[in-house]
Amino acid sequence: MSESSPRVDPSERLAGVGAYYSERIRQHGTTARGVDWNGESSQELRFAQLLRICEGSARFSLNDLGCGYAGLVDTLARRGAAFEYRGWDVSEAMIQAARERFAGDSRVRVAVGAAPDIPADFTIASGIFNVRLQASDTDWLAHILETLDSMDQASTRGFAFNCLTKYSDREKMRDYLYYADPCALFDHCKRRHSRNVALLHDYDLYEFTILVRKQVP
């Protein structure tokens, strides 16, 4: 979408995104396709990159922004991690599915929301910057940077996120999706959030992951 596209009110933009994902889970259920990914294997590969932010941590708390049906909890449980998980999503249908899946699990709490309101050791965001619908590149990038600020504020030890890459094959790109510049976001995080930033762009998906590690006193 061109830079001259009409500005979209932030609340309307997120309402549209929430409706988009609510429809996906209604169609496909609690599967990778239900959160708009192609399949389970790519979703697991994606989680593996994001969870590098937690490496070396025997016990930790985690905010999952855009948690969907909380599929990340399954991965954490399989790894035997000692964790406290808090999930946030703008889709009420996603949160309802997550609540049903983990009812009675004291490690898991989920809520409807666009940003964490409780600090954790780490914050992760998977796929939340992909679907921009009618938002312009300028507006959507501003939204991404604002969200990174909120993730930084909600994380005591670090945060991680992924984006579709602008290096995707041109014929496979879609106009309602946002393809970010990995170098620009790396530079932004390095200058604004931490000296310790890693850019992962070597895991054979049309995306990249950025890890921001904070220096803990």
Side-chain angles (χ1 to χ4, degrees):
M1 185 157 304
S2 69
E3 298 292 340
S4 61
S5 300
R7 184 176 179 83
V8 178
D9 180 83
S11 61
E12 293 180 5
R13 175 169 58 233
L14 292 180
V17 172
Y20 177 94
Y21 281 103
S22 291
E23 181 60 24
R24 290 299 177 276
I25 197 168
R26 289 189 187 101
Q27 289 181 354
H28 304 292
T30 54
T31 65
R33 292 190 69 192
V35 285
D36 215 32
W37 297 122
N38 290 331
E40 314 301 326
S41 61
S42 65
Q43 186 179 44
E44 282 300 313
L45 178 56
R46 194 169 286 113
F47 286 163
Q49 311 313 309
L50 292 163
L51 288 175
R52 290 189 184 189
I53 194 67
C54 307
E55 286 180 352
S57 302
R59 182 180 297 274
F60 56 88
S61 57
L62 179 71
N63 282 325
D64 185 3
L65 184 56
C67 64
Y69 58 84
L72 185 62
V73 174
D74 301 309
T75 299
L76 291 169
R78 283 195 297 271
R79 292 184 171 202
F83 64 90
E84 180 180 353
Y85 174 95
R86 302 171 186 130
W88 314 87
D89 205 288
V90 296
S91 164
E92 292 186 10
M94 289 290 184
I95 292 301
Q96 182 60 35
R99 285 175 176 156
E100 291 173 358
R101 295 184 74 232
F102 296 103
D105 190 332
S106 61
R107 301 170 301 176
V108 180
R109 300 177 185 176
V110 295
V112 176
D117 60 11
I118 302 173
D121 293 322
F122 304 103
T123 299
I124 282 176
S126 180
I128 69 170
F129 301 134
N130 296 352
V131 179
R132 53 88 174 272
L133 301 178
Q134 301 302 314
S136 68
D137 286 349
T138 299
D139 283 354
W140 196 249
L141 178 58
H143 166 67
I144 291 174
L145 300 185
E146 290 168 4
T147 303
L148 295 183
D149 280 347
S150 70
M151 292 174 66
D152 181 42
Q153 293 164 11
S155 310
T156 60
R157 298 173 60 188
F159 64 93
F161 64 96
N162 55 31
C163 293
L164 297 174
T165 178
K166 75 170 190 176
Y167 297 105
S168 299
D169 294 341
R170 183 64 56 182
E171 66 276 10
K172 295 181 179 180
M173 297 171 80
R174 300 292 180 264
D175 61 2
Y176 66 94
L177 300 177
Y178 183 77
Y179 299 87
D181 183 337
C183 299
L185 284 177
F186 172 85
D187 183 75
H188 173 84
C189 290
K190 189 84 170 174
R191 293 176 183 275
R192 183 170 179 82
H193 297 301
S194 177
R195 295 179 180 179
N196 300 321
V197 180
L199 169 60
L200 311 178
H201 208 328
D202 61 348
Y203 53 100
D204 205 28
L205 295 177
Y206 291 103
E207 64 173 56
F208 60 91
T209 296
I210 288 182
L211 312 177
V212 180
R213 295 184 175 92
K214 295 187 175 184
Q215 293 180 331
V216 180

